[in-house]
Amino acid sequence: IYDDGIAIPHVARYWIFLISNICSLLCAVFVLYHYLFDSTLRHGLHNHTLTIVLIICLIWELTDVPFQMYLFLYRVVWIQTPTFCIIWKILDAALYTSTAKLIGWASVERHILIFHENWITTRRRRFFIHYTPIILIVTYGVVLYSIITPMNYCKRPFYYFVEMCGYYSCVYDSATFTLYEYATGGLLCSVLIGFGGGSLILRVVLQKRRLRRHVNWRKHRKMAIQLLSITALFYIFYLPPVVLSTAHQLGVPSYVGSDYTRNASFFANYIIFLFPFACLNTLPKLRIRLKNMYRYILRKQIRRISPQKPTIMNSTRRNQRKTTVF
């Protein structure tokens, strides 16, 4: 039996993922519904990147997470074919890296939305500055990993008792490509997320008095808090492994932090699990929205029960009429 070095038993991992996935799915659907159908939230440029990330979270939680749960429970992958393993690897790589890049871009874009609103005053500027980066990031991740992942010219074997069948493309045998992916997918995102959120809060505080008359600080304060609550997930689950990997690249022995790296790969899934809750925390008028949802569900339940009462009453009235006639 393969031992991945993680101390948590496989059965415990299954239940941890099951509970986390159900809660995260419900929260993601709730937040995404308001982002899409609330006109104010839908037209807010600062919510567009988060909406795409929420959609990625849903795809992840409906595909990658169940695949992992099946492996935890039965100790074998769900479908034991190379095609399934490659598709799983493409989904995992494209969704995870796209999420990090999108949050990195959101950390930069918040500075534009708050301090350089004149850059996006026209449709043309909004398209090139706001929409184009989002489209390019998502397209880049899907196209790149859809091309390089199936490259198996070195006849690398598949192991059907480990995550994603233990498969990775032979392209990673190239030190140049490995360094490129590390620099663009790990180091660059870490820099943007690490300094983007913190510098935004500092910039807001330092320039608040000077720009008070020109900026709607109540609105932009929410944008800054929203970004900080989201980037906090990456500070905890994403940045430390990247820092450790950078140390290894600079000459630190690979055995240093090896136990942490194995456990970090498991808990990195909580970036996806907790992301909807980070968005929920900054949803405006949250209490009112939760009350409206509760009332809607309650009305649905009442409607399901209430039609039975008129039927009973009508039947008793008919019986009374029959007895009266006789």
Side-chain angles (χ1 to χ4, degrees):
I1 299 174
Y2 175 75
D3 183 14
D4 55 10
I6 301 176
I8 305 174
H10 284 79
V11 176
R13 299 183 208 179
Y14 170 82
W15 285 106
I16 290 172
F17 267 38
L18 178 62
I19 296 172
S20 301
N21 201 41
I22 292 174
C23 296
S24 183
L25 269 172
L26 294 175
C27 184
V29 171
F30 177 80
V31 177
L32 191 60
Y33 170 81
H34 288 91
Y35 275 178
L36 293 177
F37 294 100
D38 187 310
S39 59
T40 303
L41 296 176
R42 185 174 65 250
H43 290 98
L45 298 182
H46 61 285
N47 290 325
H48 292 171
T49 304
L50 304 184
T51 302
I52 300 299
V53 176
L54 280 171
I55 294 173
I56 291 176
C57 289
L58 284 177
I59 297 173
W60 179 290
E61 292 166 350
L62 293 173
T63 56
D64 192 282
V65 174
F67 297 162
Q68 294 186 63
M69 290 170 57
Y70 189 95
L71 179 63
F72 295 154
L73 192 62
Y74 297 104
R75 305 302 296 275
V76 67
V77 299
W78 179 36
I79 302 175
Q80 300 172 33
T81 62
T83 302
F84 174 77
C85 297
I86 290 173
I87 293 174
W88 187 0
K89 183 65 178 180
I90 292 172
L91 283 172
D92 182 84
L95 296 179
Y96 188 78
T97 57
S98 296
T99 300
K101 287 183 174 67
L102 286 169
I103 298 302
W105 164 244
S107 301
V108 175
E109 189 186 33
R110 288 297 191 277
H111 290 265
I112 298 174
L113 296 177
I114 294 177
F115 300 103
H116 304 283
E117 287 183 307
N118 58 315
W119 292 9
I120 52 174
T121 52
T122 65
R123 290 185 178 180
R124 184 183 180 87
R125 291 180 178 180
R126 281 195 298 271
F127 176 78
F128 285 105
I129 295 177
H130 173 69
Y131 293 105
T132 300
I134 298 174
I135 296 171
L136 290 177
I137 289 171
V138 176
T139 305
Y140 172 82
V142 174
V143 172
L144 175 66
Y145 292 103
S146 297
I147 292 174
I148 68 170
T149 302
M151 293 182 179
N152 194 20
Y153 47 80
C154 57
K155 304 300 180 182
R156 196 178 301 279
F158 295 86
Y159 303 98
Y160 297 116
F161 50 87
V162 295
E163 186 177 347
M164 288 171 285
C165 310
Y167 173 78
Y168 68 95
S169 175
C170 298
V171 174
Y172 290 97
D173 292 338
S174 170
T176 303
F177 180 80
T178 303
L179 182 61
Y180 164 77
E181 188 184 46
Y182 166 74
T184 58
L187 190 60
L188 179 61
C189 294
S190 299
V191 171
L192 293 179
I193 295 171
F195 292 100
S199 62
L200 179 65
I201 299 299
L202 182 62
R203 195 174 179 184
V204 166
V205 172
L206 292 177
Q207 298 191 22
K208 181 178 179 180
R209 293 183 179 179
R210 184 169 63 87
L211 300 177
R212 181 177 296 175
R213 296 181 180 179
H214 305 284
V215 179
N216 185 354
W217 284 108
R218 182 178 181 183
K219 171 186 174 182
H220 296 316
R221 184 177 66 249
K222 291 181 179 179
M223 291 172 55
I225 294 174
Q226 183 186 56
L227 176 64
L228 190 61
S229 63
I230 292 169
T231 54
L233 296 176
F234 288 82
Y235 291 153
I236 297 171
F237 297 107
Y238 186 81
L239 294 183
V242 174
V243 172
L244 184 60
S245 178
T246 304
H248 291 161
Q249 295 286 340
L250 296 176
V252 176
S254 59
Y255 61 82
V256 176
S258 58
D259 292 336
Y260 170 79
T261 301
R262 285 192 292 268
N263 287 277
S265 63
F266 174 78
F267 287 104
N269 292 279
Y270 276 85
I271 294 176
I272 304 296
F273 287 145
L274 296 177
F275 183 85
F277 293 97
C279 296
L280 176 69
N281 186 44
T282 59
L283 202 64
K285 301 178 181 178
L286 179 58
R287 291 184 180 179
I288 298 175
R289 296 178 191 276
L290 290 173
K291 287 181 181 179
N292 291 337
M293 182 190 69
Y294 175 75
R295 290 173 183 173
Y296 176 78
I297 296 174
L298 188 62
R299 288 175 185 174
K300 283 286 186 181
Q301 295 295 328
I302 294 174
R303 288 178 182 176
R304 289 179 181 178
I305 299 172
S306 59
Q308 298 178 1
K309 294 182 178 180
T311 305
I312 298 173
M313 293 177 64
N314 290 334
S315 61
T316 53
R317 288 176 180 176
R318 289 174 183 174
N319 293 332
Q320 289 177 358
R321 288 177 182 177
K322 287 181 182 180
T323 55
T324 305
V325 171
F326 287 111

